């Protein structure tokens, strides 16, 4: 029995739709051929050689109508990314065609892949190790060039190097504690006192905190900045959204969203991936028949890191506008004053008073005005405020790494409180070692052997 | 020469080959469990001989000695009867790393142990060289000696030490020899190879000995023993403790630039560097020439002058292990302060010997290839008397249990340093003579010298190695500790003027309200003895060892709890067994290195597998999934 046989066949769009002209639908598993062949008009895919690419068409088997002109890559197990049979349908892209092909593959018995499931299989089938899997995951999930760069940076080992340096610092301290313990009569090495340990703990903690600061912006780069566009009906939210979803901007649609209520859409604004919250809500509430659901906008605001509040300059402020201004007062927000091409009827002095420090951008969606300014403002907010620049471009983006860094930091807190409570150095050392181990879990290094090597290379011990 | 005539000797349950520190513990344990036991040694005058340091204990090692005592072994009792100096090390540090060390009277240590063996009812002590084993269908059934005797047995323990094809090297001189010019065992390990066991060559060494009458002690620094009583065995009473004036001191001196110059000038005659020595030596106990080369910028190295016994003037120069030519050794000695006129009595030497690569062993120390055959001590690649004795008692227990048809005993890493050592050996193997260090234990706060009896006495009793009397005393001690801790968690210390005067004089914050006695004791500078000034005394005065235990448990409760949580996690992984017959080839997706290592070491639990270097978390995940599936498949 092989480890692969238990897994079912999965499928997903492997490319971010919108970016480039081609989309790839990847199908992996024992039944990959069964899931694709009934849809494919062209060569018999199960007869072609492995690792070939084959021209043909995807047809809807029920209506026999042609969906798209495609190339299908055929890769048989085990020399594939997942070590399973993999078929990749290269189609012309565009949300509609891509999703339709995916739906067809699913109708043939494949299951929609969970996010990262291909990589998970590669890991479980033993093709890649944990750290590689993590870097690949981050690369896949990178939403913009900038986030791609962070992931590549990490894959390249910049984070590892930084962590390794920190660990080396700690290791030298630990080796000294150990040599004091295991060679108590050895008088050539300075006794490691709690005072020295305290200094080191503070130093390492500062470095870890610095790294953790980058985590926040790293998370935004990886997961996107949750952004809510709010405003009462008919102020131009939908037009703003469409402007932002402009063709040459990377639109990423979470495929899983097709089965969910809420569609998350991503838009690249000056390198910042915006995750637009509840875009469905925006479309629906612009329908004049439906009134804005206050609850719905409140929810969107709560879920957002950034709120874009759209107002209509050609009408006086309404109570609804005032309510939204009040609801978003504590949020990071930008106000879009739309329809400035029409005669101004909104009382600017009142708005300025209600807006406080918030940047107000005058815009006209119909005249294509103000969107660039909005993008500039978001980029400014993102990069110049509240976002730290990481040490040597190192940003921590991975949730596991962040968790481990936090644990390492709390181990150092224990070191400090132990010292404050007058604990002897070999007990305080327990927490220092824990810190060192937690950092080692990030890079996947082992404990004991390193410590002993350090001990013997650093000290000439002999009893 | 006429051929040796074979003859059939007596039948035994357990045969132990070698009566060094491993062999004597193995034989005593097996015999005391009720097995008819034969202990073979090349030379009866070298039973429990100390060919190197005349000392027992130290960090980690001292704790092993106490673990051996808790399991009913002999090393602790033997050193308690024959030490010339006792010292507690690391007293300025925490409880986990305090370590007792004794200087031994080398001759008395040997004589006392030999007599103990002679008195043991189930044990036969015999001189002779074991040349071969009796092995049928991969099962060991006895031994064959150089005198032609065939002894059959249910199990065999080999603890051959450096006698196994030993080779002594002093400068250009090189000859086959066991330790201290004893006869080597030239055939046994060769035959082990024949049965499929893989061997390695290791090297160790010893420093020169000098005549104490020719040492100028005025030029050195005295290192006396302790006044406060301490023993290794939990059974040795304090009143047996030697008064300080009856103990012997050690003396501290240093090498200097002249010494180093002499060594550098003669490196072309140093077997360590001329390629003569092939065996791998220990990093933690390097020869002096190795120290000078590897740590060239150091201007001096410590040396301790240690007495070899009461009825001898021979002194051991600790720190000066060397295989330089005798002539150079004398020059080196004479360059050292206090040794300017020292007369060399025995030259230092290096010794190379055969080692059984320990990955071939189960955690019971039985070889995987030959059933009923166990190995222990230096044969398994360790160094040190304590490491040898620790394995010896475990090999003896398991060989004894097998002979009795009982389940084996494996000590977990969380239960003792002996468990740490054996797990390290069988899981990771070793590329140099293995020494126990406290840093090898992940749970060292739990593996303390004060609680070895609490950890292991119940097991020793269960195995029949601890008498009912001793066990009952142990239970009483344990109860006293628990009762007193409970009492300290109910009695309160009141903020009286007396109490606050005391705490302030100890740089502690004064009390505002009454606190529990236990909480009061948790303050770093408060001792149990002082605490008793402010609360009623217990019904009966407590033993100092009970007090020590109570103080540690209360003062370091937070750290101990954390360590125990880690132990609990590890135990979960220990519970995940890897089937004995697992076919690693059938597991898809293991990395090549992991596959090879797993196949070679064949770990018994998932926990053990995680400790193999080169087996990474992904491999563990795959292995776990595979085993889990196998389990499920069997159930359905």
């Amino acid at each position: 029995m092989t480890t692969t046989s238990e897994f079912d066949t999965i499928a997903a769009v492997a490319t971010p739709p919108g970016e480039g002209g081609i989309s790839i639908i990847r199908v992996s598993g024992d039944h990959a051929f069964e899931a694709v062949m009934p849809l494919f008009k062209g060569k018999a895919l199960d007869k072609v050689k492995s690792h070939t690419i084959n021209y043909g068409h995807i047809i809807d088997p029920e209506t026999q109508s042609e969906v798209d002109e495609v190339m299908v890559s055929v890769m048989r197990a085990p020399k594939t990314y997942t070590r399973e049979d993999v078929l990749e349908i290269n189609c012309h892209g565009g949300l509609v065609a891509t999703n339709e092909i995916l739906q067809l593959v699913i109708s043939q018995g494949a299951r929609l892949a969970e996010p990262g499931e291909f990589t998970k299989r590669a890991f479980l089938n033993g093709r890649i190790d944990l750290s590689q899997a993590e870097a690949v995951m981050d690369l896949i999930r990178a939403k913009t060039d900038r986030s791609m760069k962070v992931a590549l940076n990490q894959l390249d080992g910049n984070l590892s190097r930084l962590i390794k340096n920190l660990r080396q610092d700690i290791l030298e301290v630990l080796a000294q504690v150990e040599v004091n313990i295991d060679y108590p009569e050895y008088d050539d090495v300075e006794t490691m006192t709690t005072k020295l340990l305290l200094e080191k703990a503070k130093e390492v903690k500062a470095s870890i905190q610095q790294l953790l600061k980058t985590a926040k912006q790293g998370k935004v780069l990886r997961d996107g900045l949750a952004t809510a566009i709010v405003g009462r009906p008919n102020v131009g939210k939908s037009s703003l959204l469409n402007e932002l979803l402009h063709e040459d901007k990377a639109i990423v649609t979470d495929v899983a969203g097709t089965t969910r209520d809420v569609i998350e859409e991503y838009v690249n604004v000056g390198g910042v991936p915006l995750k637009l919250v509840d875009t469905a809500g925006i479309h629906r509430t612009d329908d004049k028949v439906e009134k804005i659901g206050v609850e719905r906008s409140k929810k969107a605001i709560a879920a957002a890191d950034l709120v874009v509040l759209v107002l209509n300059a050609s009408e006086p402020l309404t109570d609804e506008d005032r309510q939204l201004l009040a609801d978003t007062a504590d949020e990071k927000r930008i106000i879009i004053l739309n329809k400035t091409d029409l005669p101004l009827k909104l009382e600017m002095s009142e708005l300025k008073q209600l807006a406080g420090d918030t940047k107000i951008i005058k815009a006209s969606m119909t005249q294509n005005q103000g969107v660039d300014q909005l993008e500039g403002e978001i980029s400014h907010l993102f990069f110049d405020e509240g976002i730290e620049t990481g040490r040597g471009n190192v940003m921590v983006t991975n949730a596991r790494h962040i968790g481990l860094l936090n644990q390492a930091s709390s181990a150092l807190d224990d070191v400090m409180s132990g010292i404050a409570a007058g604990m002897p150095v070999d007990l305080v050392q327990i927490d220092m070692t824990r810190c060192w181990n937690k950092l080692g879990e990030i890079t996947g290094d082992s404990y004991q052997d390193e410590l002993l090597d350090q001990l013997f290379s650093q000290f000439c011990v002999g009893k | 020469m006429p051929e040796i005539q074979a003859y059939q000797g007596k039948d035994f349950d357990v045969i132990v080959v070698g009566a060094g520190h491993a062999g004597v513990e193995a034989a005593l344990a097996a015999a005391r469990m009720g097995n008819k036991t034969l202990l073979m040694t090349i030379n009866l005058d070298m039973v429990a001989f100390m060919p190197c340091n005349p000392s027992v204990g130290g960090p980690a090692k001292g704790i092993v000695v106490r673990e051996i005592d808790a399991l009913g072994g002999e090393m602790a009792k033997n050193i308690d009867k024959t030490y010339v100096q006792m010292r507690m090390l690391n007293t300025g540090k925490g409880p986990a790393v305090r370590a007792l060390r004794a200087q031994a009277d080398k001759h008395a240590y040997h004589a006392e142990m030999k007599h103990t063996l002679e008195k043991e009812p189930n044990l036969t002590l015999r001189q002779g060289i074991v040349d071969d084993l009796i092995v049928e269908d991969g099962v060991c059934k006895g031994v064959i000696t150089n005198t032609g005797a065939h002894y059959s047995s249910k199990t065999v323990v080999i603890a051959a030490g450096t006698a196994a094809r030993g080779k002594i090297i002093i400068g250009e001189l090189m000859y086959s020899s066991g330790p201290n010019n004893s006869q080597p065992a030239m055939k046994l390990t060769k035959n082990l190879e024949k049965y499929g066991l893989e061997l390695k060559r290791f090297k160790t060494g010893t420093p020169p000995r000098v005549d104490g009458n020719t040492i100028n002690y005025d030029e050195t620094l005295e290192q006396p023993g302790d006044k406060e009583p301490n023993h290794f065995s939990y059974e040795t009473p304090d009143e047996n403790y030697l008064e300080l004036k009856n103990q012997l001191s050690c003396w501290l001196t240093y090498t200097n630039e002249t010494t180093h110059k002499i060594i550098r000038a003669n490196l072309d005659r140093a077997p360590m560097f001329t390629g003569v020595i092939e065996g791998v030596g220990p990093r933690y106990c390097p020869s002096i020439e190795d120290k000078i080369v590897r740590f060239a910028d150091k201007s001096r190295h410590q040396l301790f002058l240690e007495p070899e016994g009461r009825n001898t003037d021979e002194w051991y120069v600790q720190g000066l292990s060397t295989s330089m030519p005798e002539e150079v050794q004398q020059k080196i000695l004479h360059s050292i302060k206090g040794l300017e006129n020292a007369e060399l009595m025995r030259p230092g030497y290096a010794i190379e010997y055969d080692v059984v690569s320990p990955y071939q062993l189960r955690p019971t120390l039985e070889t995987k290839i030959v059933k009923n055959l166990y190995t222990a001590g230096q044969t398994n690649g360790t160094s040190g008397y304590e490491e040898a004795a620790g394995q010896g008692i475990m090999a003896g227990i398991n060989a004894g249990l097998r002979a009795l048809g009982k389940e084996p005993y494996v000590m977990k890493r969380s239960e003792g340093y002996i468990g740490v050592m054996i797990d390290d050996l069988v899981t990771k193997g070793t590329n140099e003579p293995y020494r126990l260090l406290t840093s090898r234990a992940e749970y060292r706060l739990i593996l303390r010298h004060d609680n070895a009896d609490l950890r292991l006495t119940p097991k020793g009793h269960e195995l029949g190695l601890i008498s009912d009397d001793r066990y009952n005393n142990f239970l009483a001690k344990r109860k006293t500790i628990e009762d007193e801790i409970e009492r300290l968690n109910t009695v309160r210390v009141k903020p009286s003027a007396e109490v606050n005067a005391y705490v302030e004089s100890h740089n502690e914050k004064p009390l505002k309200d009454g606190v529990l006695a236990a909480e009061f004791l948790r303050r770093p500078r408060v001792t149990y003895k002082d605490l008793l000034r402010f609360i009623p005394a217990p019904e009966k005065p407590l033993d100092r060892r009970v007090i020590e235990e109570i103080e540690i448990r209360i003062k370091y409760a937070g750290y101990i709890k954390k360590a125990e949580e880690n132990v609990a996690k590890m135990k979960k992984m220990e519970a995940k067994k890897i089937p004995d017959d697992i076919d690693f080839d059938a597991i898809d997706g293991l990395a090549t290195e992991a596959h090879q290592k797993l196949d070679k070491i064949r770990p018994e639990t998932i926990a053990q597998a995680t400790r193999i270097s080169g087996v990474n978390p992904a491999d563990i995940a795959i292995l776990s999934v595979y085993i889990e599936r196998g389990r499920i498949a069997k159930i359905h």
Side-chain angles (χ1 to χ4, degrees):
Chain A
M1 188 173 82
T2 67
T3 38
T4 55
S5 58
E6 197 164 278
F7 300 129
D8 50 7
T9 296
I10 52 172
V13 180
T15 46
E19 229 174 60
I22 288 175
S23 290
I24 298 175
I25 293 119
R26 179 181 285 161
V27 188
S28 174
D30 284 357
H31 301 293
F33 284 96
E34 285 96 316
V36 175
M37 282 175 59
L39 313 171
F40 183 72
K41 204 166 81 186
K43 283 187 197 164
L45 294 175
D46 55 349
K47 302 283 190 314
V48 304
K49 277 189 187 168
S50 185
H51 294 78
T52 57
I53 190 154
N54 304 278
Y55 174 79
H57 291 86
I58 293 291
I59 47 151
D60 182 335
E62 277 188 22
T63 61
Q64 290 298 313
S65 61
E66 202 171 275
V67 179
D68 202 356
E69 186 184 30
V70 298
M71 303 283 281
V72 177
S73 306
V74 173
M75 291 159 282
R76 289 195 179 83
K79 285 187 180 172
T80 68
Y81 182 65
T82 55
R83 286 201 166 178
E84 303 170 337
D85 287 339
V86 172
L87 271 69
E88 290 182 353
I89 305 167
N90 298 247
C91 66
H92 277 117
L95 218 55
V96 180
T98 311
N99 275 340
E100 194 174 344
I101 294 171
L102 179 63
Q103 290 306 330
L104 287 173
V105 171
I106 288 167
S107 71
Q108 294 301 314
R111 171 172 67 73
L112 187 66
E114 306 280 336
E117 200 172 0
F118 291 106
T119 303
K120 187 173 154 199
R121 285 193 180 189
F123 168 70
L124 282 177
N125 290 332
R127 190 172 161 279
I128 57 175
D129 72 20
L130 189 61
S131 56
Q132 281 175 300
E134 282 175 350
V136 172
M137 287 296 295
D138 287 351
L139 266 182
I140 291 169
R141 295 176 58 183
K143 304 284 190 287
T144 65
D145 282 356
R146 196 182 169 97
S147 34
M148 178 84 90
K149 209 181 272 169
V150 171
L152 276 173
N153 209 335
Q154 185 175 317
L155 193 61
D156 197 37
N158 275 356
L159 176 68
S160 299
R161 246 194 310 280
L162 205 97
I163 298 281
K164 277 183 178 148
N165 288 342
L166 278 183
R167 292 186 84 225
Q168 184 58 31
D169 280 0
I170 300 174
L171 190 60
E172 280 166 21
V173 172
L174 288 176
Q176 204 168 325
V177 175
E178 297 302 334
V179 86
N180 289 160
I181 291 169
D182 276 321
Y183 296 90
E185 290 162 302
Y186 179 67
D187 64 4
D188 273 357
V189 51
E190 184 188 3
T191 302
M192 179 46 83
T193 59
T194 47
K195 192 173 157 254
L196 289 169
L197 257 174
L198 183 62
E199 280 167 24
K200 187 51 78 179
K202 281 182 180 161
E203 209 181 295
V204 175
K205 183 164 174 180
S207 301
I208 290 177
Q209 287 307 324
Q210 182 74 28
L211 266 177
L212 279 171
K213 270 191 195 168
T214 70
K216 213 175 128 199
Q217 73 200 95
K219 186 179 176 294
V220 169
L221 280 180
R222 207 184 59 156
D223 297 342
L225 185 72
T227 306
I229 299 175
V230 298
R232 63 187 166 85
N234 206 23
V235 291
K237 299 194 295 291
S238 199
S239 318
L240 172 61
L241 182 64
N242 289 337
E243 275 303 314
L244 289 172
L245 300 182
H246 199 257
E247 251 184 282
D248 60 349
K249 310 239 161 55
I251 308 160
V252 183
T253 300
D254 190 325
V255 174
T258 51
T259 59
R260 284 191 225 130
D261 247 11
V262 179
I263 296 174
E264 287 174 349
E265 287 181 83
Y266 288 89
V267 49
N268 177 358
V269 174
V272 182
L274 297 194
K275 182 171 85 177
L276 298 173
V277 178
D278 192 20
T279 48
I282 295 170
H283 293 297
R284 264 183 233 163
T285 52
D286 261 15
D287 186 342
K288 284 172 193 166
V289 183
E290 194 183 326
K291 279 239 163 181
I292 180 170
V294 178
E295 279 310 304
R296 188 155 189 159
S297 73
K298 273 192 176 165
K299 259 188 203 166
I301 291 164
D305 301 325
L306 173 69
V307 177
V308 177
L309 173 57
V310 186
L311 300 172
N312 185 346
S314 67
E315 290 172 16
L317 280 178
T318 67
D319 284 348
E320 232 173 315
D321 290 331
R322 292 188 187 96
Q323 182 62 45
L324 283 166
L325 279 160
D327 286 348
T328 58
D330 295 333
E331 307 292 326
K332 196 169 254 189
R333 65 177 174 181
I334 297 170
I335 294 172
I336 296 287
L337 195 55
N338 193 23
K339 307 196 185 183
T340 47
D341 52 315
L342 299 175
L344 180 74
K345 289 195 178 152
L346 187 137
E347 185 58 56
M348 280 308 286
S349 57
E350 189 196 356
L351 174 61
K352 277 184 181 157
Q353 198 199 334
L354 289 170
D357 297 338
T358 311
K359 179 93 176 175
I360 300 168
I361 295 169
K362 289 179 184 163
S364 165
M365 293 305 142
T366 52
Q367 306 290 309
N368 215 346
Q369 275 172 11
V371 175
D372 287 352
Q373 221 186 321
L374 172 64
E375 292 182 357
E377 183 58 24
I378 290 171
S379 194
H380 168 75
L381 261 181
F382 190 75
F383 288 113
D384 300 346
E385 280 179 35
I387 296 297
E388 310 282 332
T389 345
R391 283 169 60 174
N393 274 331
V394 175
M395 279 193 194
V396 189
T397 57
N398 180 292
R400 192 182 73 93
H401 297 169
I402 293 167
L404 286 166
L405 282 171
N406 275 317
Q407 288 177 38
S409 179
S410 99
L412 291 171
D413 291 340
D414 290 350
V415 168
M416 296 182 217
S417 62
I419 292 170
M423 286 296 162
V425 73
D426 52 289
L427 288 184
V428 175
Q429 167 272 341
I430 292 174
D431 290 314
M432 200 70 170
T433 306
R434 187 155 56 90
C435 173
W436 191 67
N437 276 329
K438 289 296 168 195
L439 293 177
E441 278 183 46
I442 295 175
T443 51
D445 290 316
S446 72
Y447 164 53
Q448 238 176 31
D449 303 338
E450 274 180 69
L451 181 65
L452 291 181
D453 286 343
Q454 179 71 28
L455 199 143
F456 293 127
S457 65
Q458 205 173 326
F459 307 109
C460 174
V461 286
K463 183 142 183 157
Chain B
M1 256 209 323
E3 209 168 288
I4 305 291
Q5 305 246 332
Y7 79 98
Q8 191 61 45
K10 277 190 200 162
D11 290 354
F12 292 91
D13 296 318
V14 178
I15 296 174
V16 178
V17 181
H21 304 281
V24 297
E25 294 294 350
L28 285 169
R32 287 167 179 171
M33 287 163 69
N35 295 291
K36 213 176 136 198
T37 303
L38 171 68
L39 175 57
M40 293 293 304
T41 175
I42 291 175
N43 185 344
L44 274 175
D45 298 327
M46 284 180 71
V47 168
F49 181 67
M50 297 179 161
C52 202
N53 247 34
S55 80
V56 166
K61 290 161 168 274
I63 301 175
V64 168
V65 180
R66 289 208 158 161
E67 288 173 1
I68 292 168
D69 185 60
L71 288 173
E74 204 58 32
M75 184 173 240
K77 289 197 169 101
N78 207 60
I79 185 66
D80 284 350
K81 287 185 232 170
T82 58
Y83 69 93
V84 296
Q85 184 201 92
M86 193 71 82
R87 230 183 133 183
M88 185 66 89
L89 305 170
N90 281 337
T91 47
K93 303 191 182 82
V97 298
R98 275 170 220 156
L100 194 58
R101 193 194 54 213
Q103 294 300 134
D105 182 315
K106 186 177 275 193
H107 182 261
Y109 189 92
H110 145 77
E112 182 63 40
M113 187 66 87
K114 179 164 177 266
H115 196 209
T116 300
L117 293 164
E118 288 160 353
K119 284 185 291 188
E120 191 61 41
N122 270 331
L123 194 130
T124 306
L125 184 59
R126 183 160 300 170
Q127 183 165 297
I129 299 181
V130 171
D131 280 344
D132 201 357
L133 302 174
I134 303 165
V135 177
E136 289 168 17
D137 300 327
V139 181
C140 184
K141 299 198 162 170
V143 303
I144 302 167
T145 72
N146 62 337
T147 53
H150 284 56
Y151 298 108
S152 66
S153 66
K154 292 173 183 152
T155 55
V156 171
V157 179
I158 294 180
T162 55
R165 269 196 292 199
K167 185 164 82 179
I168 282 182
I169 301 143
I170 307 169
E172 293 82 9
L173 175 66
M174 194 160 52
Y175 53 96
S176 287
S177 173
N180 193 38
N181 288 351
S182 59
Q183 213 182 333
M186 296 307 287
K187 292 183 180 159
L188 179 61
T189 41
K190 211 176 191 172
N191 282 318
L192 290 182
E193 224 166 6
K194 183 179 79 188
Y195 299 120
L197 288 163
E198 185 193 299
L199 304 181
K200 294 198 218 208
R201 288 294 270 181
F202 274 1
K203 168 250 159 187
T204 187
T206 194
R209 316 298 201 269
V210 297
D211 180 351
N213 298 306
T214 60
I215 296 174
N216 182 3
Y217 297 98
D218 293 343
E219 294 289 321
T220 65
L221 197 68
E222 184 168 11
Q223 308 272 299
D226 287 345
K227 206 175 140 217
E228 292 303 313
N230 253 313
H231 290 104
F232 279 100
S233 174
Y234 290 95
E235 288 203 299
T236 310
D238 279 354
E239 55 263 33
N240 287 16
Y241 192 70
L242 287 179
E243 278 183 60
L244 195 51
K245 66 175 197 297
N246 293 328
Q247 294 188 31
L248 303 181
S249 288
C250 297
W251 303 82
L252 172 64
T253 182
Y254 294 90
T255 63
N256 52 51
E257 286 299 350
T258 314
T259 319
H260 300 184
K261 244 181 243 166
I262 296 166
I263 291 167
R264 276 191 214 108
N266 287 285
L267 282 180
D268 59 331
R269 297 183 69 193
M272 276 292 296
F273 299 105
T274 54
V276 171
I277 290 179
E278 289 161 5
V280 185
R283 285 180 298 177
Y284 48 80
C285 188
S287 63
I288 188 68
E289 50 267 37
D290 205 18
K291 290 185 206 176
I292 303 303
V293 171
R294 281 180 50 215
F295 297 91
D297 56 332
K298 288 199 67 178
S299 58
R300 63 176 202 177
H301 294 276
Q302 275 171 301
L303 301 172
F304 290 93
L305 305 176
E306 302 177 359
E308 293 239 317
R310 286 189 187 282
N311 300 315
T312 175
D313 287 322
E314 205 174 341
W315 283 71
Y316 177 93
V317 188
Q318 200 277 317
L320 206 67
S321 170
T322 182
S323 56
M324 295 291 262
E326 188 177 273
E327 179 197 0
V328 180
Q329 290 190 25
Q330 296 188 62
K331 281 188 192 157
I332 291 171
L333 285 170
H334 296 156
S335 71
I336 293 161
K337 265 197 175 172
L339 301 179
E340 291 88 348
N341 301 309
E343 282 295 341
L344 178 74
M345 288 182 74
R346 300 180 209 221
Y349 62 83
I351 185 164
E352 282 190 336
Y353 54 99
D354 280 348
V355 163
V356 171
S357 294
Y359 73 84
Q360 304 169 98
L361 305 176
R362 299 176 190 281
T364 57
L365 297 180
E366 184 184 17
T367 69
K368 290 170 193 165
I369 295 177
V370 183
K371 206 180 165 198
N372 295 343
L373 176 66
Y374 299 74
T375 57
Q378 272 169 312
T379 299
N380 292 346
T382 60
S383 99
Y385 312 141
E386 305 82 356
E387 285 87 346
Q391 289 167 74
I393 193 166
M394 294 304 286
I397 286 170
N398 278 308
L401 287 169
R402 173 66 58 76
L404 295 166
K406 290 185 182 171
E407 286 298 305
Y409 167 46
V410 174
M411 193 190 293
K412 294 192 172 78
R413 293 182 79 88
S414 54
E415 291 169 339
Y417 272 95
I418 296 175
V420 170
M421 166 175 63
I422 293 175
D423 182 68
D424 277 351
L425 288 171
V426 304
T427 306
K428 302 182 171 187
T430 180
N431 292 321
E432 65 181 328
Y434 175 99
R435 176 187 175 157
L436 261 178
L437 299 161
T438 66
S439 37
R440 294 199 196 265
E442 52 274 71
Y443 313 116
R444 75 177 163 203
L445 184 55
I446 290 178
L447 308 182
R448 303 187 307 268
H449 81 124
D450 56 275
N451 71 355
D453 60 337
L454 293 163
R455 287 184 272 127
L456 297 170
T457 307
K459 191 71 206 181
H461 182 248
E462 187 193 318
L463 289 165
L465 295 169
I466 294 288
S467 68
D468 290 343
D469 270 1
R470 179 170 174 183
Y471 185 59
N472 288 332
N473 288 340
F474 160 79
L475 291 178
K477 175 186 171 184
R478 191 165 72 180
K479 189 166 185 314
T480 311
I481 293 166
E482 280 156 11
D483 288 353
E484 182 63 0
I485 289 177
E486 205 186 309
R487 188 179 80 97
L488 296 180
N489 275 303
T490 47
V491 181
R492 298 184 83 82
V493 177
K494 298 191 180 72
S496 67
E498 195 200 356
V499 169
N500 279 335
Y502 164 80
V503 289
E504 274 169 37
S505 74
H506 285 73
N507 284 323
E508 299 270 2
K509 278 188 199 144
L511 290 185
K512 280 189 195 136
D513 307 301
V515 292
L516 285 174
E519 204 175 306
F520 190 67
L521 184 54
R522 212 160 278 143
R523 297 177 167 220
R525 294 171 201 88
V526 174
T527 63
Y528 177 83
K529 198 177 144 214
D530 291 341
L531 172 67
L532 287 192
R533 286 164 50 193
F534 312 120
I535 60 166
E539 274 174 43
K540 277 188 279 179
L542 302 182
D543 182 77
R544 67 171 171 88
R545 281 165 286 211
V546 168
I547 292 172
E548 183 184 15
E549 186 66 29
I550 290 167
E551 282 185 337
I552 290 170
R553 283 219 213 155
I554 289 181
K555 280 186 182 296
Y556 308 110
Y559 287 97
I560 291 172
K561 193 166 162 257
K562 264 192 243 173
E564 277 167 353
E565 284 165 7
N566 286 334
V567 168
K569 269 186 225 158
M570 177 61 80
K571 282 199 170 145
K572 266 190 198 161
M573 284 212 293
E574 301 281 0
K576 289 189 192 163
K577 301 276 182 228
I578 299 174
D580 215 19
D581 57 353
I582 192 164
D583 179 7
F584 292 108
D585 291 331
I587 307 175
D588 257 10
L590 284 178
T592 312
E593 189 191 356
H595 180 191
Q596 285 167 353
K597 290 268 180 73
L598 286 168
D599 208 26
K600 184 171 163 183
I601 291 154
R602 305 200 67 83
E604 298 192 353
T605 65
I606 289 289
Q608 195 191 347
T610 61
R611 292 191 288 267
I612 301 172
S613 68
V615 176
N616 63 38
D619 301 309
I620 295 294
I622 290 162
L623 183 60
S624 304
V625 169
Y626 180 83
I627 293 167
E628 199 65 20
R629 276 207 200 122
R631 237 166 37 87
I632 292 163
K634 270 174 206 161
I635 292 165
H636 289 307

